[in-house]
Amino acid sequence: MSEVPNDIDLSRIPKHVAIIMDGNGRWAKKQGFLTRMRGHEIGVEALRDIATASAEIGIEYLTVYAFSTENWNRPKAEVGALMELLVSTLGKELDTLQKNEIRLNSIGQTDALPKKCQRELNEVKDATRNNKRMTLTLALNYGAKTEIVNAVQTISEKVASGEMKSTDIDESVIDQHMFTADIPHPDLLIRTSGEYRISNYLLWQIAYSELYFTPVLWPDFKKHDLHDAIRTYQGRERRFGKTSEQIQST
Ligand code: IPE
Ligand code: IPE
Ligand code: MG
């Protein structure tokens, strides 16, 4: 724990941090690389460092946006290269996950990913399933609107078949039909690269998350940037609709 700055309160670490890892392409361009892929490759290194730093500081759930349902609209070559990068990364990072006791998980419609990706993903998920320190969730072919549509479909089928009454539907039922069913909602959502949008990420789950936007491009996002985000988070007052006086009196 020696690497954690002492102005960070270890008793108030966000339990779940979600990240929109953005800016790989712009990073590659800025560095003078001819292809955006170099940015994605260095982005993987940033993720390794941030996942390790997150486990070290006591974050229990880290959920990262790796490929959105909208990202299929990118040039075919980039989509193909991203899928290849996913396969090679999963193959290479098992050691890091095991060493840091990180369990790998995924959300999104992974059954539409290339078979090779699915195989590799399932292998690493399986190999790390008993790790207890942190759950790293990759959002892959993830879109929040699709997630909600799927949940509504499944729930209505249950109502139609009589398994459930429409009046049984409450927030917790909806929660249980999301990809994130076994994960608490994010306390903190970070987006890198200076964009101020959510891009169809975890719409239901971030209803009360603290939002943190930084101009830093994802490949440049380092442990100290994560610490900055956590410091900012710890400086906020989460009121959940109450008054500041109510929060302070408890
Ligand atoms: C984020 O970086 C990674 C993915 C969306 C896969 P981008 O590739 O979106 O980088 P920019 O936003 O074009 O710089
Ligand atoms: C969001 O980034 C998706 C991921 C980080 C995987 P994008 O770069 O795809 O988002 P937009 O298109 O700029 O909103
Ligand atoms: Mg982008």
Side-chain angles (χ1 to χ4, degrees):
M1 280 294 170
S2 59
E3 303 222 32
V4 176
N6 53 21
D7 60 339
I8 288 183
D9 180 352
L10 289 176
S11 70
R12 287 172 52 239
I13 296 294
K15 192 175 180 135
H16 182 178
V17 175
I19 307 184
I20 303 175
M21 310 183 289
D22 198 12
N24 295 352
R26 277 164 284 168
W27 182 90
K29 196 166 176 186
K30 212 175 95 184
Q31 302 290 318
F33 291 109
L34 296 175
T35 130
R36 296 167 49 83
M37 279 319 290
R38 196 71 197 124
H40 295 313
E41 284 161 17
I42 304 301
V44 169
E45 291 184 16
L47 175 56
R48 184 195 308 118
D49 292 350
I50 294 306
T52 308
S54 299
E56 173 187 277
I57 206 168
I59 290 167
E60 291 177 44
Y61 300 89
L62 178 68
T63 302
V64 298
Y65 211 178
F67 193 85
S68 73
T69 47
E70 288 75 22
N71 287 146
W72 294 109
N73 297 319
R74 291 192 176 197
K76 222 173 147 187
E78 181 169 344
V79 171
L82 278 169
M83 294 301 154
E84 285 302 320
L85 181 62
L86 176 61
V87 172
S88 64
T89 301
L90 287 167
K92 275 197 293 227
E93 300 298 335
L94 182 58
D95 267 4
T96 312
L97 295 173
Q98 301 293 41
K99 221 181 292 159
N100 292 284
E101 294 163 77
I102 298 172
R103 178 173 80 94
L104 189 77
N105 179 40
S106 65
I107 53 173
Q109 291 176 306
T110 50
D111 52 355
L113 296 174
K115 284 280 172 298
K116 225 170 23 172
C117 294
Q118 294 185 45
R119 240 186 343 258
E120 204 64 50
L121 186 63
N122 288 335
E123 262 175 42
V124 180
K125 275 161 91 168
D126 209 49
T128 60
R129 67 189 316 149
N130 293 320
N131 291 346
K132 297 272 185 298
R133 195 168 176 202
M134 186 180 83
T135 298
L136 169 63
T137 301
L138 302 180
L140 286 168
N141 190 21
Y142 175 86
K145 287 191 175 181
T146 307
E147 179 182 41
I148 293 169
V149 168
N150 288 347
V152 171
Q153 281 173 350
T154 310
I155 294 168
S156 20
E157 279 157 19
K158 289 183 182 174
V159 171
S161 74
E163 189 185 328
M164 186 187 270
K165 292 197 298 278
S166 68
T167 47
D168 292 337
I169 303 170
D170 58 11
E171 289 184 18
S172 84
V173 166
I174 295 179
D175 266 329
Q176 283 151 28
H177 288 82
M178 294 291 182
F179 289 123
T180 50
D182 44 4
I183 302 179
H185 293 171
D187 301 292
L188 171 64
L189 171 71
I190 299 172
R191 182 169 191 150
T192 60
S193 89
E195 306 294 352
Y196 296 91
R197 55 177 173 266
I198 302 299
S199 302
N200 203 15
Y201 195 42
L202 301 172
L203 293 180
W204 167 266
Q205 298 87 341
I206 61 168
Y208 249 115
S209 304
E210 294 298 325
L211 308 182
Y212 181 83
F213 297 97
T214 168
V216 176
L217 301 173
W218 177 251
D220 287 332
F221 194 83
K222 298 275 149 43
K223 184 165 155 167
H224 68 87
D225 297 298
L226 176 72
H227 291 164
D228 283 350
I230 293 174
R231 248 185 234 107
T232 300
Y233 168 85
Q234 293 189 337
R236 305 239 183 117
E237 183 178 64
R238 302 187 77 188
R239 289 195 283 273
F240 298 102
K242 295 182 181 171
T243 67
S244 186
E245 291 70 21
Q246 285 177 294
I247 301 296
Q248 264 151 46
S249 71
T250 54

